[in-house]
């Protein structure tokens, strides 16, 4: 089915902000949201892997969903990750997100640990169960973390046959080729072919037909113009912007991972603590120094927004 709103552009992942004791820092979370919106984000994504969702209690997920959507207050659309191995629990999480005002839910295929995987029939039924429980679009997150093969033909079939499956975040190897095949086989049922993995393959994925990107949250001011230029038909401007910001994209993707956004926000005074939740180790000082150095050369907004 076609949904009334078509979502495009850059929807960065919002990091979860903790204090020095590892508790949720909701005031810091609100400042993080305000920065990301003011930096030009077309929308936001919460409770994703880069939000350390795998380290959150169920009650904390509900607190964050409600607090974030209340604070954003419709300024931009918000995608809520509701991944769970159980279709029943994933459907309940997705209904809660919809009730709180989510524009979309993002879900990985069901899996658990290193060895529990499910076949295509079970995955199809899983997404159909969730779709039947809600009225907003579902984005399937095709991520290496799930360890589950999702051939483009199978993804296209789910787009055609499951009402609310309409968006796809492709962040596996060969993303551009997979996007091309998904778009070719899914047609209009694929409302949102999206790129992920911190935009490390963004230009190739845009060339393949991507219309959105879910990036890290540290520098929307650099990433949003690239996608806007491309979608407006100005590939040369998009290419120049991508080449300019690529050193920071690469450093985030290869050296810092999910801690990059919080490190930039802490350096710029947006948040008071950039620590991850245990057992994740803190960012190595050398990796952090390199990140800040590149961001300063680019005059990234995160380094001056909170000062």
């Amino acid at each position: 089915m076609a949904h009334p709103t078509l979502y495009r552009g850059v929807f960065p992942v919002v990091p979860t902000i903790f204090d020095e004791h590892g508790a949720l820092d909701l005031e810091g979370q609100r400042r993080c949201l305000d920065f990301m919106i003011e930096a030009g984000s077309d929308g936001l994504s919460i409770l994703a892997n880069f939000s350390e969702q795998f380290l959150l209690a169920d009650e904390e997920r509900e607190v964050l969903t409600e607090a974030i959507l209340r604070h954003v207050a419709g300024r931009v659309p918000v995608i809520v990750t509701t991944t769970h191995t159980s279709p029943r629990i994933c459907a309940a999480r997705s209904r809660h997100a919809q009730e709180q005002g989510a524009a979309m839910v993002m879900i990985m295929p069901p899996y658990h640990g290193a060895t529990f995987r499910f076949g295509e029939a079970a995955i199809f039924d899983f997404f159909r169960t969730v779709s039947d429980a809600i009225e907003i679009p579902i984005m399937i997150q095709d991520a290496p973390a799930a360890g589950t093969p999702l051939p483009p033909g199978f993804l296209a079939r789910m787009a055609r046959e499951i009402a609310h499956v309409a968006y796809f975040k492709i962040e596996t190897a060969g993303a551009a080729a997979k996007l091309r095949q998904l778009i070719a086989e899914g047609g209009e049922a694929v409302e949102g072919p999206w790129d992920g993995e911190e935009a490390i393959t963004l230009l190739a994925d845009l060339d393949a037909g991507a219309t959105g990107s879910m990036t890290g949250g540290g520098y929307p001011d650099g990433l949003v113009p690239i996608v806007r230029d491309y979608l407006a038909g100005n590939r040369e401007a998009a290419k120049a912007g991508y080449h300019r910001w690529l050193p920071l994209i690469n450093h985030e993707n290869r050296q810092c991972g999910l801690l990059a956004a919080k490190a930039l926000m802490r350096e710029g005074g947006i948040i008071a603590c950039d620590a991850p939740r245990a057992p994740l180790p803190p960012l190595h000082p050398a990796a952090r120094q390199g990140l800040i150095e590149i961001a300063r050369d680019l005059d990234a907004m995160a380094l001056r927004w909170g000062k």
Side-chain angles (χ1 to χ4, degrees):
M1 65 176 295
H3 295 91
T5 303
L6 186 64
Y7 298 105
R8 294 155 63 93
V10 176
F11 283 54
V13 173
V14 177
T16 301
I17 311 304
F18 304 109
D19 65 19
E20 63 273 17
H21 304 294
L24 297 180
D25 175 5
L26 293 181
E27 181 55 36
Q29 193 73 64
R30 287 187 282 268
R31 286 176 57 78
C32 165
L33 295 165
D34 290 340
F35 156 69
M36 293 179 68
I37 293 170
E38 191 169 321
S41 301
D42 295 300
L44 301 173
S45 174
I46 69 171
L47 303 181
N49 291 331
F50 258 43
S51 312
E52 300 173 64
Q53 61 92 9
F54 44 83
L55 296 171
L56 297 171
D58 288 348
E59 310 85 73
E60 291 176 318
R61 294 178 62 91
E62 292 189 7
V63 167
L64 286 165
T65 299
E66 294 169 12
I68 289 171
L69 286 164
R70 182 168 57 247
H71 187 70
V72 171
R75 286 179 285 171
V76 295
V78 177
I79 299 172
V80 179
T81 302
T82 58
T83 294
H84 196 280
T85 309
S86 161
R88 181 174 179 271
I89 296 173
C90 186
R93 285 182 174 183
S94 300
R95 279 195 305 271
H96 178 256
Q98 176 181 289
E99 289 164 359
Q100 296 302 314
M104 187 188 312
V105 292
M106 180 170 73
I107 305 168
M108 284 192 284
Y111 76 99
H112 181 73
T115 59
F116 286 90
R117 298 294 181 274
F118 305 91
E120 289 188 3
I123 294 170
F124 186 95
D125 287 343
F126 173 95
F127 281 106
R128 183 169 55 189
T129 296
V130 178
S131 178
D132 288 346
I134 59 176
E135 298 176 355
I136 57 177
I138 295 170
M139 172 179 282
I140 294 181
Q141 182 179 5
D142 184 15
T148 303
L150 295 172
F154 177 50
L155 293 175
R157 178 188 162 218
M158 286 196 285
R160 293 192 306 266
E161 298 181 16
I162 301 176
H164 297 299
V165 170
Y167 289 77
F168 300 86
K169 180 188 179 189
I170 306 299
E171 47 189 338
T172 54
K178 193 166 191 176
L179 282 164
R180 286 191 188 93
Q181 189 173 344
L182 171 62
I183 293 166
E185 296 191 27
E188 293 182 356
V190 179
E191 297 178 24
W194 283 27
D195 152 280
E197 206 181 6
E198 302 81 67
I200 195 69
T201 59
L202 178 60
L203 191 61
D205 294 342
L206 289 169
D207 283 340
T211 58
S213 183
M214 193 176 292
T215 68
Y219 43 100
D221 49 306
L223 297 171
V224 169
I226 298 169
V227 177
R228 287 186 181 170
D229 281 336
Y230 195 99
L231 295 180
N234 192 345
R235 186 179 184 277
E236 287 305 308
K239 184 169 70 172
Y242 185 65
H243 289 169
R244 180 168 182 261
W245 286 87
L246 188 55
L248 188 58
I249 294 169
N250 180 74
H251 197 84
E252 175 181 29
N253 179 265
R254 304 303 295 173
Q255 307 299 326
C256 301
L258 60 81
L259 297 181
K262 290 201 281 193
L264 292 169
M265 292 180 192
R266 172 66 183 87
E267 185 71 18
I270 299 168
I271 59 176
C273 178
D274 59 2
R277 182 171 268 185
L280 286 177
L283 187 59
H284 192 283
R288 189 181 193 280
Q289 181 180 352
L291 178 79
I292 302 305
E293 180 179 283
I294 298 168
R296 281 207 182 101
D297 289 343
L298 292 164
D299 191 30
M301 186 184 293
L303 299 183
R304 48 186 165 80
W305 185 88
K307 295 180 177 179

